Each structure stands twice: as structure tokens, then as C-alpha cells.
Amino acid sequence: MNPQQVIAEVFGLYEQHGTADYIGEAVSQLEHMSQAAQWAMAEGFDDEVVLAAFFHDIGHLCGQGGANMGGYGVVSHERLGADYLRRVGFSERLARLVEYHVEAKRYLTFSQPDYYARLSEASRRTLAYQGGAMTPDEARAFEQDPLYAISLRLRHWDEQAKQAQVPVLDLQVLKAKAARLLVA
């Protein structure tokens, strides 16, 4: 697939499924992912990180029909999304950031005693399907990963990106970022 075909396919998922409710939250899938990308842009992160923030839950869209987390989305959506993005030509760094947004939730649940209480009901319910809090060994290994710090930021944006009435980002901005990355 050439970059334009990839962009049409990937963003087509948002056109097809993006208006669906974001599992248990007051926003749509598209609104949630747009807000996460807006947070990444506001903090000055590069295009890969901005797109990872936007794509972080794409596994819920491309994994339609997969095993369900008790009505809260697709089991292993982080891996499904990361694998999908790799297949269509996005970088390993971008794909790993998508995959790690769940690892970051598991890490923060382990490392910050009050983090679980701050999670939305939907995030609490899905944590059990995602392996629960990390073990001390898992946490130490995650802390050594070069993407650890950015993954924690992405998780923070994920948690913040649930505000009603926030305008959706112009998707042409994100498509242009994707085009630059797919050609590079």
C-alpha cells in the first residue's frame, strides 16, 4: 500500500467507527483520541508521539468483532492496534507507544497507590482483562524501556481525554503528519 492508501484505510476506521461511544465515557471514540493527540501537540511532542496518542485505542476500531472486555471494548486492543499500525507501515516506536499505553496503566496502578482510585469506572473494569497491576519485576523492566517516560505521558493524556464538548482536531493535520512519517 502506498502512503495515501494507508491514510485512507486508517482514517477510514475513524470515519466508520469513530462516532461510537468511547466505552463507558461521555465522549466518542474520535473525540477521545483527538483529545489525546491535542494534549501531545500542546506539550510539543513529535509527530510519532502525537499520532501514537491519536491511534492509542485504534485496536478497538480495527479489532471489531474480537473478544470483548465485558462491554468495555476489545481484549488486547493495545496489541491489535500496534500490530495493525506496524502492518500498514508505521514505525516500531509509534506502534510500541500504542501498545504501551496499557502497560503504563498497569505500571501506574502498581507504583502509585492512589492511581487506581483516579481511574474511570471503565478503566478500572478493563484493568483486570489487561493483567492487573504490574509485579515488581515487570515494573523494573518497564522502567528500563527507552519509551517508559513517554508512555507515562501518553497514559496521562489518555486519562485526560474524556472531556465532553471539546472540538475534534482537524483530521487533515493528523493525516499530514501520517503522510510525512509514512514517506520518511
Side-chain angles (χ1 to χ4, degrees), residues 127-183:
L127 182 62
Y129 290 93
Q130 297 163 337
M134 282 187 169
T135 66
D137 288 343
E138 289 172 325
R140 278 191 294 279
F142 187 57
E143 290 167 347
Q144 301 308 308
D145 193 289
L147 296 176
Y148 161 77
I150 297 172
S151 297
L152 295 183
R153 290 305 311 143
L154 198 150
R155 185 70 215 175
H156 181 68
W157 303 325
D158 184 5
E159 294 302 329
Q160 288 181 297
K162 298 172 182 177
Q163 304 301 313
Q165 307 303 316
V166 174
V168 171
L169 198 62
D170 179 355
L171 294 186
Q172 293 307 318
V173 170
L174 297 172
K175 289 178 181 181
K177 291 178 182 303
R180 285 192 295 275
L181 291 177
L182 290 165
V183 171

Side-chain angles (χ1 to χ4, degrees), residues 77-165:
H77 76 282
E78 70 283 6
R79 281 190 291 285
L80 291 170
D83 289 345
Y84 170 74
L85 292 167
R86 285 180 188 105
R87 266 194 319 277
V88 297
F90 285 99
S91 72
E92 182 61 21
R93 179 177 179 245
L94 187 151
R96 284 178 56 215
L97 286 168
V98 167
E99 191 162 4
Y100 284 2
H101 82 279
V102 168
E103 291 302 294
K105 178 167 88 171
R106 295 183 62 229
Y107 174 82
L108 290 167
T109 303
F110 163 79
S111 66
Q112 296 180 9
D114 63 334
Y115 180 75
Y116 181 82
R118 293 193 319 258
L119 289 173
S120 68
E121 181 62 24
S123 285
R124 285 186 205 147
R125 289 182 181 244
T126 58
L127 182 62
Y129 290 93
Q130 297 163 337
M134 282 187 169
T135 66
D137 288 343
E138 289 172 325
R140 278 191 294 279
F142 187 57
E143 290 167 347
Q144 301 308 308
D145 193 289
L147 296 176
Y148 161 77
I150 297 172
S151 297
L152 295 183
R153 290 305 311 143
L154 198 150
R155 185 70 215 175
H156 181 68
W157 303 325
D158 184 5
E159 294 302 329
Q160 288 181 297
K162 298 172 182 177
Q163 304 301 313
Q165 307 303 316

Side-chain angles (χ1 to χ4, degrees), residues 21-40:
D21 286 344
Y22 177 62
I23 306 102
E25 305 292 352
V27 294
S28 70
Q29 293 275 3
L30 179 59
E31 288 168 326
H32 173 64
M33 292 190 255
S34 170
Q35 288 178 37
Q38 289 175 59
W39 282 109

